[in-house]
Amino acid sequence: AFHEHSLKLATGSVVFLQCAKAKLGGGDGGLSFSISQFEQLIRVGRSRDFAVCKGTRRDGQPCTMCVNLQRSEYCKYHA
């Protein structure tokens, strides 16, 4: 159910997670959060400098790496 709602959030959305449970990832050192109700996710704004790389992967698909627009429109692989 949450997945249907999260698709409506634009890339670069800044959200507040109310009463979220934090969980450390496996061996990759990642961190994830979970909520039990969609209402716990509150959109508070949008980051002007967050974007997805404008490059193209070797398989012809658009690159999915995140970039900081203050530095470049391309990730380290396409710069």
Side-chain angles (χ1 to χ4, degrees):
F2 298 133
H3 183 66
E4 296 166 4
H5 292 289
S6 65
L7 291 176
K8 295 178 183 177
L9 293 173
T11 301
S13 292
V14 177
V15 297
F16 171 74
L17 300 175
Q18 185 176 19
C19 300
K21 294 180 182 177
K23 181 180 177 183
L24 291 175
D28 64 359
L31 179 67
S32 62
F33 296 93
S34 66
I35 57 176
S36 58
Q37 298 177 352
F38 183 72
E39 289 75 24
Q40 291 175 265
L41 187 147
I42 302 165
R43 185 175 184 271
V44 294
R46 187 173 189 288
S47 172
R48 290 192 288 178
D49 298 324
F50 181 88
V52 177
C53 175
K54 296 201 182 263
T56 304
R57 299 185 321 208
R58 289 182 184 160
D59 64 2
Q61 296 295 315
C63 182
T64 57
M65 296 288 290
C66 299
V67 296
N68 180 342
L69 291 176
Q70 285 188 347
R71 294 186 180 156
S72 174
E73 292 183 329
Y74 297 94
C75 71
K76 63 183 180 180
Y77 302 108
H78 295 112

